[in-house]
């Protein structure tokens, strides 16, 4: 199966090339030419399997350049780095309400689900395509991608990785996680600006032929570890399939029963993976797209207009402080009946005017499957404080956004479909805000807040966050976004 660009269907590549290159030459994103489907017999089989086997099976349907055994090897290596028995437990917190915990990996955020896999997929892709150049991964991060990519790629042969994060747009814990990153092939740099500034600057480098030629002369080709890379999306599809299998295996539902997924969204990568899972055959009633005060997605699902000309808010769920949701491009491509010219023109409009509008027919189609809502800071705190109604469940601020939006959805629609809240980070990545939501008490220091949160809830502090305070800070650079290209070239020159 080949992959095509969302902006030009004539631009076709293999799955290995799509993963190796990250982004299409025309600026579009790669999508599978056809979406594979799962049969009832597949589900019967998957129910019996481990998470690693389920993931390898789902991935093998999309990535035909890799054998099932290769993919299984990757999955075992990737998820062996997770703590606990199950890489993504589904926790029952109330009647017909579940939380899918995706943060048991090395950096305690859902990005680990894909970013522990991507280095294996990329190394495999380099071998399969006979790539001679080194791969330079550029990442723009709203907090969690950066650290997860650094952990995934550190000391991987043939690969270097540079991460840019907004200087005051990430939590203290996230910042410290990145500044203390170890590895001989890594560089971390803060930029003055917000996440969208970082993301668009990185995208500019990807589209700049002069810089790319310069890098190539130095033996480097660029690739991306952001969720624009299909190698990030594909591993995420697996946990939607797997959580459905968990419900079947636990006799919580019968095959064919529909479920809802409520997903705290920013770049639209997580929820998009769910959409692909539903296209494969996971029975879904509604996806509920949850935003924080940066509610550009909520407004889009409500009005059909995507408009980034608005105030940008810094919230306590910083990984969702995003106005340009890159992966919406893939979704629009599917919804429009794969109209590449239309997508190219909308993306041009987004770049020029900061907005575009979909047709009424498209909006109708979108609404059949998607609902959306947003949570203010207060709503989010209230949701976290619902712990008594949720069997004492302690959640992070991003999951709090989703919980708030889902409660609101239920009240509004009286929907009785079993619901899965997709939980994207450990509460200990945002301990001060979670502690304050639970107790009303403010503690500025993240480590002290972690200890207090642990005393208050009894929830264990994840292994990867425990020793962070003692770690040596290696990266203190802060630059302007216009200097990103120079920072990249000077890293390469020093190698
Ligand atoms: C990245 C992230 C999100 C948003 O996911 P998208 O795929 O960008 O929509 C939500 N929560 C956390 C904790 C994240 O790290």
């Amino acid at each position: 199966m080949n992959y095509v660009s969302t902006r030009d269907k004539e631009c076709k590549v293999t799955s290995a090339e799509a993963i190796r290159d990250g982004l299409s030459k025309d600026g579009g994103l790669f999508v599978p030419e056809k979406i594979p489907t799962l049969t009832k017999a597949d589900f019967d089989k998957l129910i019996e399997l481990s998470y690693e086997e389920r993931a390898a099976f789902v991935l093998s349907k999309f990535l035909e350049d890799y054998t099932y055994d290769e993919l299984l090897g990757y999955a075992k290596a990737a998820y062996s780095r997770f703590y606990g028995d199950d890489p993504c437990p589904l926790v029952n917190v109330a009647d017909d309400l579940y939380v899918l915990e995706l943060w048991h990996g090395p950096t305690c955020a859902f990005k680990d689900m894909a970013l522990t896999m991507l280095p294996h997929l990329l190394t495999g892709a380099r071998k399969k395509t006979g790539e001679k150049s080194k791969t330079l991964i550029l990442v723009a991060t709203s907090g969690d991608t950066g650290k997860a990519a650094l952990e995934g790629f550190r000391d991987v042969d043939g690969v270097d990785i540079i991460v840019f994060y907004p200087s005051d747009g990430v939590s203290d814990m996230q910042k410290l996680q990145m500044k203390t990153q170890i590895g001989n092939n890594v560089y971390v740099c803060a930029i003055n600006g917000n996440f969208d500034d970082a993301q668009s600057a990185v995208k500019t480098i990807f589209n700049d032929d002069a810089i790319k030629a310069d890098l190539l002369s130095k033996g480097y080709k660029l690739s991306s570890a952001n969720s624009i890379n299909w190698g990030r999306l594909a591993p995420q599809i697996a946990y939607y399939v797997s959580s459905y299998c968990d419900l079947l295996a636990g006799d919580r539902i019968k095959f064919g029963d529909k479920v809802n997924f409520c997903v705290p969204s920013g770049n639209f990568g997580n929820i998009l993976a769910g959409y692909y899972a539903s296209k494969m055959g996971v029975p879904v009633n509604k996806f509920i797209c949850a935003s924080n005060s940066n509610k550009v997605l909520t407004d889009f699902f409500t009005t059909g207009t995507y408009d980034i000309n608005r105030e940008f808010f810094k919230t306590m769920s910083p990984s969702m402080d995003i106005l340009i949701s890159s992966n919406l491009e893939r979704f629009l491509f599917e919804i429009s009946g794969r109209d590449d010219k239309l997508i190219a023109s909308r993306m041009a409009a987004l770049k020029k005017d900061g907005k575009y509008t979909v047709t009424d027919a498209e909006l109708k189609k979108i609404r059949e499957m998607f609902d959306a809502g947003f949570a203010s800071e207060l709503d989010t705190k209230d949701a976290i404080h619902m712990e008594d109604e949720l069997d004492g469940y302690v959640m992070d601020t991003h999951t709090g956004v989703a919980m708030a939006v889902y409660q609101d959805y239920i009240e509004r629609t009286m929907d009785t479909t079993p619901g899965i809240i997709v939980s994207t980070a450990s509460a200990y990545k945002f301990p001060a805000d979670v502690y304050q939501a639970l107790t009303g008490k403010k503690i500025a220091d993240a480590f002290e807040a972690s200890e207090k949160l642990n005393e208050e809830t009894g929830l264990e502090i994840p292994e990867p966050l425990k020793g962070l305070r003692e770690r040596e800070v290696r990266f203190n650079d802060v630059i302007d976004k216009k200097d990103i290209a120079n920072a990249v070239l000077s890293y390469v020159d020093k190698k």
Side-chain angles (χ1 to χ4, degrees):
M1 179 172 54
N2 282 323
Y3 283 72
V4 296
S5 163
T6 48
R7 298 187 197 176
D8 179 5
K9 281 189 287 194
E10 295 308 307
C11 182
K12 279 187 198 178
V13 299
T14 65
S15 57
E17 288 166 339
I19 289 171
R20 184 195 62 192
D21 298 343
L23 196 68
S24 172
K25 281 197 278 295
D26 50 32
L29 308 186
F30 289 120
V31 291
E33 221 169 9
K34 272 203 305 287
I35 297 170
T37 51
L38 298 170
T39 62
K40 164 92 169 51
D42 288 331
F43 278 100
D44 288 343
K45 182 174 130 186
L46 286 168
I47 290 171
E48 306 293 327
L49 302 182
S50 68
Y51 185 74
E52 290 79 358
E53 291 164 325
R54 288 175 184 172
F57 184 84
V58 171
L59 283 170
S60 69
K61 295 264 174 192
F62 283 99
L63 308 176
E64 288 178 351
D65 295 333
Y66 304 77
T67 65
Y68 172 81
D69 286 338
E70 276 178 311
L71 293 167
L72 182 60
Y74 298 168
K76 282 185 174 163
Y79 300 120
S80 71
R81 300 183 59 196
F82 281 49
Y83 56 97
D85 314 326
D86 184 347
C88 47
L90 187 66
V91 184
N92 186 208
V93 294
D95 277 352
D96 277 336
L97 186 64
Y98 302 85
V99 177
L100 177 61
E101 295 184 344
L102 300 176
W103 39 262
H104 292 256
T107 77
C108 308
F110 98 94
K111 306 292 196 295
D112 290 326
M113 296 299 301
L115 279 165
T116 51
M117 280 295 280
L118 184 63
H120 299 286
L121 292 170
L122 186 72
T123 307
R126 286 171 50 84
K127 284 204 190 102
K128 287 170 198 295
T129 59
E131 184 60 57
K132 300 275 185 311
S133 313
K134 292 183 85 178
T135 299
L136 179 61
I137 308 265
L138 294 187
V139 180
T141 184
S142 59
D144 292 326
T145 303
K147 178 64 185 179
L150 288 161
E151 268 305 308
F153 282 103
R154 75 174 150 93
D155 296 325
V156 169
D157 272 351
V159 180
D160 283 87
I161 172 165
I162 304 181
V163 169
F164 296 102
Y165 68 91
S167 58
D168 44 19
V170 301
S171 84
D172 292 345
M173 235 17 144
Q174 290 173 319
K175 195 181 278 190
L176 200 57
Q177 276 187 310
M178 288 188 278
K179 288 167 80 163
T180 57
Q181 179 63 44
I182 54 172
N184 289 321
N185 60 340
V186 304
Y187 174 58
V188 175
C189 182
I191 63 156
N192 295 313
N194 61 32
F195 170 68
D196 292 308
D197 294 324
Q199 178 161 257
S200 58
V202 166
K203 273 193 183 166
T204 318
I205 299 184
F206 274 101
N207 292 323
D208 186 328
D209 290 334
I211 296 175
K212 282 195 287 195
D214 195 356
L215 287 170
L216 194 59
S217 74
K218 292 164 180 156
Y220 279 95
K221 266 192 198 160
L222 293 176
S223 189
S224 165
N226 279 97
S227 53
I228 51 178
N229 192 320
W230 182 255
R232 271 284 302 280
L233 248 297
Q236 295 178 181
I237 299 170
Y239 53 73
Y240 286 93
V241 176
S242 181
S243 61
Y244 192 80
C245 292
D246 283 345
L247 288 178
L248 289 173
D251 282 329
R252 302 294 189 144
I253 55 170
K254 293 189 306 300
F255 182 75
D257 287 351
K258 291 186 172 180
V259 296
N260 292 331
F261 286 101
C262 181
V263 188
S265 294
N267 228 339
F268 208 69
N270 195 353
I271 197 167
L272 181 76
Y275 172 76
Y276 281 118
S278 75
K279 290 272 153 198
M280 290 185 87
V282 175
V284 176
N285 174 50
K286 278 268 155 61
F287 288 103
I288 296 99
C289 177
S291 304
N292 62 26
S293 310
N294 296 296
K295 61 184 182 63
V296 62
L297 285 167
T298 312
D299 291 344
F300 171 66
F301 285 113
T302 315
T303 66
T305 296
Y306 192 86
D307 187 353
I308 63 166
N309 303 298
R310 60 177 68 215
E311 193 181 343
F312 177 86
F313 298 101
K314 275 202 279 182
T315 73
M316 60 186 173
S317 44
S319 301
M320 296 155 66
D321 290 347
I322 292 176
L323 293 182
I324 306 175
S325 304
S326 304
N327 269 297
L328 202 58
E329 178 166 348
R330 285 189 168 108
F331 181 60
L332 293 174
F333 181 72
E334 303 296 346
I335 291 294
S336 70
R338 305 201 141 205
D339 188 339
D340 51 353
K341 301 288 169 299
L342 182 68
I343 299 305
S345 75
R346 287 207 180 126
M347 292 305 131
L350 181 64
K351 195 162 183 195
K352 184 163 162 284
D353 309 322
K355 63 179 171 185
Y356 58 79
T357 302
V358 298
T359 64
D360 288 346
E362 285 172 304
L363 187 58
K364 187 160 168 278
K365 206 160 147 194
I366 291 170
R367 290 237 190 100
E368 281 164 16
M369 278 205 85
F370 280 75
D371 202 296
F374 75 99
S376 68
E377 299 291 270
L378 194 61
D379 298 337
T380 307
K381 282 188 183 158
D382 285 346
I384 296 172
H385 195 39
M386 275 177 47
E387 80 273 20
D388 289 342
E389 290 135 73
L390 298 174
D391 209 15
Y393 191 78
V394 181
M395 70 193 95
D396 94 293
T397 47
H398 302 74
T399 312
V401 167
M403 188 62 82
V405 167
Y406 197 65
Q407 296 304 326
D408 185 55
Y409 166 81
I410 297 289
E411 270 173 37
R412 180 156 51 83
T413 61
M414 305 306 248
D415 186 355
T416 56
T417 309
I420 298 178
I421 308 290
V422 175
S423 175
T424 49
S426 156
Y428 286 103
K429 277 196 105 158
F430 310 92
D433 288 320
V434 173
Y435 185 71
Q436 196 187 3
L438 289 176
T439 65
K441 291 181 210 151
K442 234 186 166 121
I443 298 176
D445 181 72
F447 291 102
E448 194 188 331
S450 290
E451 278 158 31
K452 289 280 184 208
L453 185 60
N454 174 259
E455 280 168 27
E456 175 76 22
T457 64
L459 183 71
E460 225 184 297
I461 302 177
E463 214 44 62
L465 293 177
K466 272 182 187 163
L468 198 54
R469 202 204 299 238
E470 280 73 43
R471 281 204 171 175
E472 178 204 351
V473 170
R474 295 184 64 205
F475 301 103
N476 264 324
D477 293 352
V478 186
I479 62 169
D480 278 335
K481 64 177 171 178
K482 64 172 177 17
D483 296 325
I484 275 193
N486 282 339
V488 170
L489 291 172
S490 90
Y491 170 83
V492 167
D493 285 338
K494 275 190 227 137
K495 284 298 276 191

